[in-house]
Every structure is written in structure tokens, then in C-alpha cells.
Amino acid sequence: MKTELKAKFIQHILAKKKGDEGFTLIELLVVIIIIGILSAIALPSFLNQANKAKQSEAKTYVGSMNRAQQAYYLEQNTFALSGEIGKLGLGIATQTSNYSYTIAGSASAVTNQGGVILASAPLKNYLGGVGVTTQAATSEATTIALLCESSLTRVGGAPVVTTSDFTTAGSPTCPANYVSLSK
């Protein structure tokens, strides 16, 4: 009888364990709520990083255009003007999926512009100003470059900034609504 009692007891325990398998509705809801909260925190951060990566393209391109303009001026004694991005020898596209790149100015000062085209996310415009200035100590002419970032985000339609918006006497400054990224 004892073995028969033991067998029934073991069957009772095993049957009870099989009935307790799985998660309750409350446990599932708690897990779903936790996942929702974590995704609500992570998604905006991820989207912000994606926008920064898109803006990094424009910073790099405009900075490269600035350096190429300085090198071009040393060789040609003039800057590459509107429609002459190819003369800079950079091999960059004048338009990407997020930005359009243009040059405005004259033979003595130019702005290299990275303007936001119709984009799905708010991005910032970038300007590079390159001009010729005279060093006070040595009275030598030299080129000075400046990289500026708009303080406002835009979804499309880059404003055209002319070289008169940059001050090249002494040290250059960014136009209104732009902050300097140059050191």
C-alpha cells in the first residue's frame, strides 16, 4: 500500500505542476508595458542620432569645400565660383538625398553652402566662408575659412547667404542665426 500511495502522491504532484505552466495575464502585461517604456525612451534617441549622422555629411562636405577653396586660391589667385564645384577636385555630389551644395560669392570671398533640401527630418544648414584678409603683423595676404551651423533646424528650402553676410576683415564671423564651428 505504501508504494501505491507514493505513486498516487507523485502523480498528484506531477499533475499539479503541469497545470501551473505558462505566464499569467498580469505577468505578460507587465512585460509588455516595460518593453513599451524602454522603446519610448530609446526611439527618440535613435532618431536624433540618425539626424546627427545626416548633418555630419554636410559638415564634412562644406569643410572640404572650404579647404579646397583655400588650395584653389593659392594656385589660381581666385576662388571657384557658382557652378564650379568640379574645379575644386573634391569629387562630391552637388546634391544628396538630404543636402544641396552650392557656391556663392566673388573672386575675393566665397560662401560654400550646404542647404537642406526636402527632408523627412529637421536638419541644420551649414555655411563655409572663405575670404582673403591681411595679417596685421606681417601685412601678408592670406585666406581665412570659417564653418558655420544654423541655429535653427529646417525641413527644406535653404536660405541663400551671400559673402557680404560674412565679415573677413580681421577674423571672419558667421551671419545672423548661425554659430561658428571653427576653432
Side-chain angles (χ1 to χ4, degrees):
M1 279 258 206
K2 285 188 173 184
T3 54
E4 198 176 303
L5 184 61
K6 284 182 183 178
K8 286 197 179 219
F9 181 69
I10 291 173
Q11 282 178 346
H12 177 69
I13 290 175
L14 291 176
K16 188 174 183 182
K17 281 190 178 180
K18 285 184 183 177
D20 289 342
E21 288 181 12
F23 298 104
T24 65
L25 182 60
I26 292 176
E27 291 172 333
L28 290 174
L29 287 175
V30 167
V31 170
I32 290 171
I33 289 171
I34 290 172
I35 290 172
I37 290 171
L38 290 175
S39 64
I41 293 170
L43 187 62
S45 177
F46 171 74
L47 293 176
N48 190 29
Q49 292 302 317
N51 289 343
K52 284 183 180 180
K54 291 174 185 175
Q55 290 174 175
S56 176
E57 168 205 310
K59 279 189 232 179
T60 302
Y61 276 23
V62 173
S64 296
M65 289 169 69
N66 279 355
R67 289 183 292 281
Q69 286 282 18
Q70 288 177 305
Y72 188 83
Y73 187 86
L74 287 174
E75 294 174 2
Q76 306 294 327
N77 205 28
T78 186
F79 290 110
L81 301 176
S82 178
E84 299 180 336
I85 291 178
K87 287 186 176 181
L88 297 176
L90 292 172
I92 62 172
T94 57
Q95 183 169 336
T96 62
S97 59
N98 298 307
Y99 285 92
S100 175
Y101 301 97
T102 57
I103 299 173
S106 65
S108 61
V110 292
T111 60
N112 302 305
Q113 304 178 18
V116 177
I117 57 177
L118 189 60
S120 59
L123 301 171
K124 294 184 177 187
N125 290 324
Y126 291 90
L127 295 174
V130 183
V132 179
T133 188
T134 304
Q135 295 290 331
T138 61
S139 298
E140 294 178 346
T142 186
T143 57
I144 293 181
L146 181 66
L147 180 61
C148 304
E149 176 183 68
S150 65
S151 53
L152 307 171
T153 57
R154 300 180 59 89
V155 177
V160 175
V161 177
T162 63
T163 53
S164 62
D165 293 329
F166 282 93
T167 304
T168 54
S171 61
T173 59
C174 293
N177 295 326
Y178 282 82
V179 294
S180 175
L181 299 177
S182 301
K183 294 180 181 182

